[in-house]
Amino acid sequence: MRTLALIVLIACGSSGNKLPAETWGSEDYLKAGVPASDHVWSIDEHETAVSALRTLSAGHRERLPRLGGPRSGAVFARVIERVDITDVLPDPRTSFLFHMRRFEAANTISKLYILDALATTPPEYRALIHLILLEAVDLDRIATPFIDSFGPDDPKREARLSGLRQMEQGYGEMLHGSVLTLADRRLPEPERIAFAKQVAPAMKALLGRLEPDTQTKINAQVEALSPNVRSALRP
């Protein structure tokens, strides 16, 4: 089982992540290999899109799709779209693999929006973190059924359990980074409140899965947030 990539958001420093004006529309992306944005993407299409976007945006950040962008917003909406697979992929192994692939694809494209780890995060990056956190919640929810599906005599059981512990460590990194972003007062408070509401479900679902020291650290950072942001994170 592949290890989840760790995502660390650092909320201090310069403002070097600002995106240039968008230049591409849906047809431009289609010609460059991004699937059409007129339908929900399959997991294969989602991965194809991420690969194409990584290639076409190399040295050309103006080509990255934008959240709500008049030209590229439809493409970005597909990038961050949630896909309900509860009914179509009930098998825990298939479901786990699906969410793992979605997680890794979103993680890959999120990095395209960050040049400076010390800069404020653009809204597209925060939208992708929202998707990644939701996928993490799904992965955590089906992790035990996934392990149990191999049976108690599974020769790789200990390795799989070790992988799950690494995943939980990754959840801690994600939540920690998200709280640091919420503490970044260079972001307008309404944006921090909106992001806090997006992080809240993952905080509720995943925080208790972490090591006690990590929980204590994150809880202390949450208490240091501005009251309105803290209230949105812990309604």
Side-chain angles (χ1 to χ4, degrees), residues 75-98:
V75 173
F76 191 79
R78 292 302 181 195
V79 169
I80 61 171
E81 187 171 26
R82 282 284 284 165
V83 180
D84 186 359
I85 62 166
T86 305
D87 295 329
V88 296
L89 295 178
D91 174 70
R93 295 192 200 183
T94 306
S95 180
F96 191 89
L97 178 59
F98 174 90

Short mmCIF file of all heavy atoms in Angstrom, two decimals, residues 75-98:
data_model
loop_
_atom_site.label_atom_id
_atom_site.label_comp_id
_atom_site.label_asym_id
_atom_site.label_seq_id
_atom_site.Cartn_x
_atom_site.Cartn_y
_atom_site.Cartn_z
N VAL A 75 -13.39 24.03 -15.65
CA VAL A 75 -12.37 22.99 -15.53
C VAL A 75 -12.00 22.80 -14.06
O VAL A 75 -11.92 21.68 -13.56
CB VAL A 75 -11.13 23.34 -16.37
CG1 VAL A 75 -10.00 22.34 -16.10
CG2 VAL A 75 -11.48 23.34 -17.85
N PHE A 76 -11.79 23.92 -13.35
CA PHE A 76 -11.42 23.79 -11.95
C PHE A 76 -12.54 23.14 -11.14
O PHE A 76 -12.27 22.39 -10.19
CB PHE A 76 -11.07 25.15 -11.35
CG PHE A 76 -10.43 25.05 -10.00
CD1 PHE A 76 -9.09 24.73 -9.88
CD2 PHE A 76 -11.18 25.26 -8.84
CE1 PHE A 76 -8.49 24.61 -8.62
CE2 PHE A 76 -10.59 25.14 -7.59
CZ PHE A 76 -9.24 24.82 -7.48
N ALA A 77 -13.77 23.42 -11.50
CA ALA A 77 -14.89 22.80 -10.79
C ALA A 77 -14.85 21.29 -10.90
O ALA A 77 -15.22 20.57 -9.95
CB ALA A 77 -16.21 23.34 -11.35
N ARG A 78 -14.40 20.77 -12.04
CA ARG A 78 -14.26 19.32 -12.20
C ARG A 78 -13.09 18.79 -11.38
O ARG A 78 -13.15 17.70 -10.82
CB ARG A 78 -14.06 18.95 -13.67
CG ARG A 78 -15.29 19.19 -14.55
CD ARG A 78 -16.50 18.45 -14.06
NE ARG A 78 -17.65 18.67 -14.91
CZ ARG A 78 -18.90 18.37 -14.58
NH1 ARG A 78 -19.17 17.85 -13.40
NH2 ARG A 78 -19.90 18.61 -15.42
N VAL A 79 -12.03 19.59 -11.30
CA VAL A 79 -10.84 19.18 -10.54
C VAL A 79 -11.20 18.93 -9.08
O VAL A 79 -10.71 17.98 -8.46
CB VAL A 79 -9.73 20.24 -10.66
CG1 VAL A 79 -8.60 19.96 -9.67
CG2 VAL A 79 -9.18 20.28 -12.08
N ILE A 80 -12.06 19.77 -8.51
CA ILE A 80 -12.37 19.67 -7.07
C ILE A 80 -13.73 19.03 -6.81
O ILE A 80 -14.18 19.01 -5.66
CB ILE A 80 -12.32 21.05 -6.40
CG1 ILE A 80 -13.36 21.99 -7.01
CG2 ILE A 80 -10.93 21.65 -6.47
CD1 ILE A 80 -13.54 23.30 -6.24
N GLU A 81 -14.34 18.47 -7.82
CA GLU A 81 -15.68 17.91 -7.66
C GLU A 81 -15.66 16.64 -6.81
O GLU A 81 -14.82 15.76 -6.99
CB GLU A 81 -16.27 17.58 -9.03
CG GLU A 81 -17.71 17.14 -9.01
CD GLU A 81 -18.30 17.05 -10.41
OE1 GLU A 81 -17.53 16.84 -11.37
OE2 GLU A 81 -19.51 17.20 -10.54
N ARG A 82 -16.58 16.57 -5.87
CA ARG A 82 -16.73 15.37 -5.06
C ARG A 82 -17.55 14.35 -5.82
O ARG A 82 -18.56 14.68 -6.46
CB ARG A 82 -17.44 15.69 -3.74
CG ARG A 82 -16.54 16.33 -2.73
CD ARG A 82 -15.61 15.33 -2.08
NE ARG A 82 -16.29 14.51 -1.09
CZ ARG A 82 -15.81 13.38 -0.58
NH1 ARG A 82 -14.68 12.90 -1.03
NH2 ARG A 82 -16.48 12.71 0.32
N VAL A 83 -17.14 13.09 -5.75
CA VAL A 83 -17.83 12.02 -6.45
C VAL A 83 -18.33 11.00 -5.43
O VAL A 83 -17.53 10.44 -4.67
CB VAL A 83 -16.91 11.32 -7.47
CG1 VAL A 83 -17.65 10.21 -8.19
CG2 VAL A 83 -16.36 12.34 -8.48
N ASP A 84 -19.63 10.79 -5.39
CA ASP A 84 -20.22 9.84 -4.45
C ASP A 84 -20.16 8.44 -5.05
O ASP A 84 -20.79 8.16 -6.07
CB ASP A 84 -21.67 10.22 -4.16
CG ASP A 84 -22.30 9.36 -3.07
OD1 ASP A 84 -21.62 8.44 -2.56
OD2 ASP A 84 -23.47 9.59 -2.73
N ILE A 85 -19.38 7.57 -4.42
CA ILE A 85 -19.22 6.20 -4.94
C ILE A 85 -19.82 5.17 -4.00
O ILE A 85 -19.59 3.97 -4.17
CB ILE A 85 -17.74 5.88 -5.17
CG1 ILE A 85 -16.97 5.95 -3.83
CG2 ILE A 85 -17.11 6.81 -6.19
CD1 ILE A 85 -15.60 5.34 -3.90
N THR A 86 -20.59 5.63 -3.04
CA THR A 86 -21.13 4.73 -2.02
C THR A 86 -21.90 3.56 -2.63
O THR A 86 -21.75 2.41 -2.23
CB THR A 86 -22.05 5.49 -1.05
OG1 THR A 86 -21.34 6.59 -0.50
CG2 THR A 86 -22.54 4.58 0.06
N ASP A 87 -22.73 3.86 -3.62
CA ASP A 87 -23.58 2.83 -4.22
C ASP A 87 -22.87 2.05 -5.32
O ASP A 87 -23.16 0.86 -5.52
CB ASP A 87 -24.86 3.46 -4.78
CG ASP A 87 -25.72 4.07 -3.69
OD1 ASP A 87 -25.69 3.55 -2.57
OD2 ASP A 87 -26.41 5.06 -3.97
N VAL A 88 -21.95 2.69 -6.01
CA VAL A 88 -21.35 2.03 -7.17
C VAL A 88 -20.08 1.26 -6.83
O VAL A 88 -19.69 0.35 -7.56
CB VAL A 88 -21.05 3.06 -8.29
CG1 VAL A 88 -22.34 3.65 -8.81
CG2 VAL A 88 -20.11 4.15 -7.82
N LEU A 89 -19.43 1.61 -5.72
CA LEU A 89 -18.21 0.91 -5.32
C LEU A 89 -18.30 0.50 -3.85
O LEU A 89 -17.58 1.00 -2.99
CB LEU A 89 -16.98 1.80 -5.53
CG LEU A 89 -16.62 2.20 -6.96
CD1 LEU A 89 -15.41 3.13 -6.96
CD2 LEU A 89 -16.35 0.98 -7.83
N PRO A 90 -19.19 -0.43 -3.53
CA PRO A 90 -19.37 -0.81 -2.12
C PRO A 90 -18.22 -1.66 -1.58
O PRO A 90 -18.03 -1.73 -0.36
CB PRO A 90 -20.67 -1.61 -2.15
CG PRO A 90 -20.73 -2.18 -3.53
CD PRO A 90 -20.11 -1.15 -4.43
N ASP A 91 -17.47 -2.34 -2.46
CA ASP A 91 -16.38 -3.19 -2.00
C ASP A 91 -15.29 -2.33 -1.36
O ASP A 91 -14.82 -1.35 -1.96
CB ASP A 91 -15.78 -3.96 -3.18
CG ASP A 91 -14.56 -4.74 -2.79
OD1 ASP A 91 -14.70 -5.74 -2.05
OD2 ASP A 91 -13.44 -4.35 -3.19
N PRO A 92 -14.83 -2.64 -0.13
CA PRO A 92 -13.88 -1.77 0.56
C PRO A 92 -12.54 -1.65 -0.15
O PRO A 92 -11.90 -0.60 -0.10
CB PRO A 92 -13.72 -2.43 1.94
CG PRO A 92 -14.21 -3.82 1.78
CD PRO A 92 -15.26 -3.77 0.71
N ARG A 93 -12.10 -2.70 -0.82
CA ARG A 93 -10.81 -2.61 -1.52
C ARG A 93 -10.90 -1.66 -2.71
O ARG A 93 -10.04 -0.80 -2.91
CB ARG A 93 -10.36 -4.00 -2.00
CG ARG A 93 -10.07 -4.97 -0.88
CD ARG A 93 -9.37 -6.20 -1.43
NE ARG A 93 -9.49 -7.33 -0.53
CZ ARG A 93 -8.92 -8.52 -0.73
NH1 ARG A 93 -8.21 -8.72 -1.83
NH2 ARG A 93 -9.07 -9.50 0.13
N THR A 94 -11.95 -1.80 -3.49
CA THR A 94 -12.14 -0.93 -4.64
C THR A 94 -12.36 0.51 -4.20
O THR A 94 -11.81 1.45 -4.79
CB THR A 94 -13.34 -1.40 -5.48
OG1 THR A 94 -13.17 -2.78 -5.81
CG2 THR A 94 -13.45 -0.60 -6.76
N SER A 95 -13.15 0.68 -3.16
CA SER A 95 -13.44 2.02 -2.66
C SER A 95 -12.18 2.67 -2.10
O SER A 95 -11.91 3.86 -2.34
CB SER A 95 -14.51 1.94 -1.57
OG SER A 95 -14.83 3.21 -1.06
N PHE A 96 -11.39 1.90 -1.35
CA PHE A 96 -10.16 2.44 -0.77
C PHE A 96 -9.20 2.89 -1.88
O PHE A 96 -8.62 3.97 -1.80
CB PHE A 96 -9.49 1.37 0.11
CG PHE A 96 -8.37 1.90 0.95
CD1 PHE A 96 -8.61 2.40 2.22
CD2 PHE A 96 -7.06 1.88 0.48
CE1 PHE A 96 -7.57 2.90 3.00
CE2 PHE A 96 -6.02 2.37 1.25
CZ PHE A 96 -6.27 2.88 2.52
N LEU A 97 -9.05 2.08 -2.91
CA LEU A 97 -8.17 2.42 -4.02
C LEU A 97 -8.65 3.69 -4.72
O LEU A 97 -7.85 4.56 -5.08
CB LEU A 97 -8.07 1.27 -5.01
CG LEU A 97 -7.21 1.53 -6.26
CD1 LEU A 97 -5.78 1.86 -5.87
CD2 LEU A 97 -7.26 0.33 -7.19
N PHE A 98 -9.97 3.80 -4.90
CA PHE A 98 -10.53 4.99 -5.55
C PHE A 98 -10.17 6.24 -4.76
O PHE A 98 -9.67 7.23 -5.33
CB PHE A 98 -12.05 4.86 -5.66
CG PHE A 98 -12.73 6.10 -6.18
CD1 PHE A 98 -12.94 6.27 -7.54
CD2 PHE A 98 -13.16 7.10 -5.31
CE1 PHE A 98 -13.55 7.42 -8.03
CE2 PHE A 98 -13.78 8.25 -5.79
CZ PHE A 98 -13.97 8.40 -7.15
#
